Amino acid sequence: MGGFKFKKDHLEWEKSANLERVNEKERMFDLLIHDLTSPLSVVSTTADNLLQKSDRYGVLTDQQKRMLDRISRNVHKAQKLLQEMIEILRSEEGIFQKEFFSIEDTVRESFMDALETTLPHAAEKLFQSKSYEEFQGILHTHHIFIEMTGRYCTSPFCHDQKKIRQILRNLMSNALKYRRERMGVAISGEMDLLVSVEDDGIGIPAEEQEAIFKRFVRLNDKRHAHVQGLGLGLAGVKTLVEAMGGNITLESQENVGSRFIVRIPPIPT
Ligand code: ADP
């Protein structure tokens, strides 16, 4: 009898603990969406207005322009990070924006996002490129290679494009940050979308390969000391990929390079 009561109490406790976790998550969602999104957007619009509307707000000195530029750049960074966190939370709640979209275009957009922080000059050139061939040519000069085979060269993919772009951008940024010379992206797959992102960088030691997918982990390695980051990226990528019913694997060898392989099934139509 006592055992049963214990079990019942325990179940009650577990229920309320679960409820608390859900409430906690909802509070976090609210905080991110309402309480952080609007003040950030006010800061960003104000800085942009001051920079662009001198007829209304007065002419700025060069030093003031530089400082406002800095505010604007950093607030955009914070907005992007916030957007990424919201997408991760949405995916954990099973919220997806189903649409058909081109994988080639998504790869292109993700590269521009990733290069904006690692090679801004290349990103600017890519932005102005007029054809896919020109786009590829610019990437080749920076030792970046794209290979597209399989069904999604021509057929649209059905999923949440924002989330796919976030996955690609994170993997591409890492490959660009940690490569020695080259990095490449290969797209394939006939039903599930397969993406491989590889680089010829310092690699990840076998004993640390599991840890890098956990939140806030940065490898405790002096070779990485010059590379900035929050240690949020790969944990977020794994959460997104798994919420999409896919998986992510890593093949890496120290001083040879790393290859991340992602498999994502389409949302059934
Ligand atoms: P961040 O890059 O912001 O630190 P990530 O979650 O993207 O966070 O990566 C976690 C850690 O995994 C990085 O700090 C780095 O040590 C390691 N890592 C990720 N990608 C690579 C890569 N392509 N080559 C070598 N190390 C990597």
Side-chain angles (χ1 to χ4, degrees):
M1 214 37 198
F4 174 72
K5 180 155 187 329
F6 166 77
K7 213 170 165 186
K8 201 170 158 224
D9 285 350
H10 190 74
L11 278 178
E12 287 298 319
W13 174 82
E14 220 171 64
K15 239 195 212 150
S16 76
N18 274 341
L19 207 65
E20 226 167 78
R21 259 199 299 277
V22 172
N23 288 340
E24 187 57 39
K25 220 170 191 181
E26 270 176 13
R27 274 201 294 277
M28 174 99 157
F29 228 158
D30 282 352
L31 172 82
L32 292 179
I33 295 178
H34 304 295
D35 304 353
L36 276 174
T37 306
S38 30
L40 281 177
S41 99
V42 172
V43 176
S44 142
T45 318
T46 310
D48 291 348
N49 278 342
L50 285 172
L51 275 167
Q52 285 154 17
K53 298 186 178 162
S54 56
D55 50 338
R56 190 184 292 184
Y57 302 108
V59 179
L60 301 168
T61 65
D62 283 349
Q63 201 182 12
Q64 287 169 333
K65 269 189 204 152
R66 273 200 302 279
M67 295 188 96
L68 274 169
D69 250 335
R70 200 161 166 213
I71 292 175
S72 173
R73 267 200 318 276
N74 280 286
V75 81
H76 284 141
K77 249 191 229 170
Q79 282 177 309
K80 257 193 187 157
L81 194 61
L82 182 59
Q83 270 314 317
E84 295 214 343
M85 289 169 89
I86 290 173
E87 287 306 325
I88 294 166
L89 282 173
R90 280 201 176 122
S91 78
E92 283 180 320
E93 298 298 306
I95 304 170
F96 296 100
Q97 185 93 38
K98 178 173 154 181
E99 59 195 316
F100 283 94
F101 57 91
S102 146
I103 288 295
E104 186 182 295
D105 289 349
T106 310
V107 167
R108 219 193 296 202
E109 289 157 8
S110 312
F111 256 121
M112 289 199 273
D113 290 343
L115 286 162
E116 219 169 81
T117 40
T118 42
L119 276 173
H121 296 305
E124 185 61 35
K125 274 197 201 150
L126 291 178
F127 191 69
Q128 286 159 7
S129 64
K130 302 218 163 35
S131 65
Y132 189 58
E133 286 66 37
E134 191 186 343
F135 185 87
Q136 285 237 4
I138 298 167
L139 289 183
H140 283 181
T141 60
H142 293 281
H143 311 288
I144 299 168
F145 303 92
I146 307 179
E147 188 186 296
M148 285 206 54
T149 56
R151 176 178 181 167
Y152 300 110
C153 285
T154 48
S155 301
F157 187 61
C158 180
H159 220 302
D160 186 326
Q161 195 209 10
K162 236 189 201 172
K163 294 188 178 66
I164 301 270
R165 192 164 153 178
Q166 185 166 331
I167 293 166
L168 291 179
R169 178 176 57 237
N170 273 287
L171 296 176
M172 287 169 175
S173 307
N174 279 346
L176 287 164
K177 280 196 277 186
Y178 297 109
R179 70 178 169 159
R180 230 179 244 120
E181 276 179 27
R182 301 160 54 95
M183 69 86 68
V185 172
I187 302 288
S188 61
E190 291 306 324
M191 179 50 114
D192 293 356
L193 173 71
L194 296 172
V195 181
S196 147
V197 180
E198 65 174 281
D199 65 72
D200 62 352
I202 46 185
I204 300 157
E207 65 278 13
E208 281 166 346
Q209 290 181 11
E210 222 184 287
I212 60 162
F213 292 104
K214 302 217 165 91
R215 269 174 202 176
F216 305 117
V217 167
R218 304 203 72 220
L219 293 191
N220 191 13
D221 189 329
K222 288 182 201 71
R223 296 171 308 166
H224 295 234
H226 65 289
V227 184
Q228 287 191 354
L230 291 167
L232 247 179
L234 283 176
V237 166
K238 190 169 157 62
T239 305
L240 285 172
V241 171
E242 290 180 352
M244 290 166 137
N247 61 327
I248 179 162
T249 49
L250 164 64
E251 296 165 2
S252 184
Q253 214 181 320
E254 259 193 290
N255 296 318
V256 178
S258 309
R259 178 188 290 139
F260 289 85
I261 301 165
V262 170
R263 182 191 60 81
I264 299 171
I267 298 182
T269 50

